[in-house]
Amino acid sequence: MTSTAAPAPRALTLNAWRDYDEDACALPGMGLGAVDLTAPPDDQASQLWELGARRVEFTGEIDLTAVDDPAGAAHAVRRLCLIRDLTARAVLVQWHLRLPPEPDDGWRDLSHLQPPRTLTGPADPVAALTQWRNEHYLCKCLWRQGPGFVQIRDRRWGELRRFTAEEPEYQEAITQLSYGAPLRAVPKAIAADFLEERLVSRTGPLLWWLPYRVNRWIQEAMAI
């Protein structure tokens, strides 16, 4: 008999601290050590926050040039979604990123996330990472749920791009893609719309939702 069970997801362990400041993190009692994330993906950021984590460090590079196999893609998407959710909570994230060389501006799709410590892939990675750091701020690309609609506000390209979706199937697709799903999991036309506006990212065989649902407002809501 041949087993058809899906492979178990790879472990996800982070180093975490109770403060944003590096000097403060060196003080006794400020380190949380290595944290094994056992909660479902949509609860992992909450798990870290409730533990007191305000600064986290991913071990190993997130390599988006090596995501052809489903397991590798799923592991990369899981980590990227967690970075997205931690960014929404204003947690400082230390991570390393390797992108494919094309498109050269592919880093912009992720530029609403906390900037990585190192970036590999663009033709001029130093310039790209410097621009990412200089232009980054919270709430750069977010979505919010209203009564019967979803609104996305995207400033990754410098100007405000605003999208409102009232159709239930779009809202269902966002839920489906929140933590990664195969392309076939959502209607083809909806996936095409999201890809055209670069609101989802294709990582190997998976698509995942890029905007975050903000947890900590840095300004009054009317000013966002």
Side-chain angles (χ1 to χ4, degrees), residues 103-174:
D104 191 54
D105 70 341
W107 63 272
R108 284 191 175 274
D109 289 23
L110 305 176
S111 62
H112 60 305
L113 306 182
Q114 290 273 355
R117 302 195 76 175
T118 61
L119 175 63
T120 307
D124 189 343
V126 174
L129 183 54
T130 299
Q131 185 175 356
W132 188 340
R133 289 171 175 165
N134 290 342
E135 296 180 357
H136 180 263
Y137 52 87
L138 294 179
C139 302
K140 195 169 189 178
C141 181
L142 59 88
W143 73 279
R144 50 191 177 183
Q145 179 81 53
F149 69 92
V150 167
Q151 186 179 83
I152 301 106
R153 301 173 72 88
D154 184 5
R155 297 181 184 270
R156 289 173 295 169
W157 320 105
E159 75 282 356
L160 173 62
R161 300 181 182 181
R162 183 168 55 194
F163 311 93
T164 301
E166 299 179 349
E167 300 87 346
E169 55 268 29
Y170 277 81
Q171 299 176 43
E172 293 168 6
I174 291 172

Side-chain angles (χ1 to χ4, degrees), residues 5-123:
R10 292 160 60 182
L12 183 54
T13 302
L14 303 177
N15 297 314
W17 295 265
R18 299 180 187 276
D19 201 273
Y20 298 95
D21 183 77
E22 192 168 1
D23 291 335
C25 289
L27 296 173
M30 298 303 290
L32 293 168
V35 179
D36 294 319
L37 296 177
T38 57
D42 56 343
D43 287 334
Q44 288 174 355
S46 296
Q47 177 188 356
L48 285 164
W49 183 265
E50 290 166 7
L51 283 172
R54 299 298 180 266
R55 183 188 190 105
V56 302
E57 180 183 50
F58 281 75
T59 58
E61 182 181 62
I62 298 179
D63 185 357
L64 297 185
T65 68
V67 291
D68 290 336
D69 69 285
H75 189 61
V77 167
R78 184 182 175 195
R79 292 195 287 172
L80 287 165
C81 288
L82 181 55
I83 293 169
R84 178 199 63 199
D85 293 352
L86 290 171
T87 299
R89 290 182 175 270
V91 173
L92 179 61
V93 183
Q94 297 176 290
W95 59 300
H96 303 269
L97 176 63
R98 180 180 296 272
L99 292 172
E102 296 294 336
D104 191 54
D105 70 341
W107 63 272
R108 284 191 175 274
D109 289 23
L110 305 176
S111 62
H112 60 305
L113 306 182
Q114 290 273 355
R117 302 195 76 175
T118 61
L119 175 63
T120 307

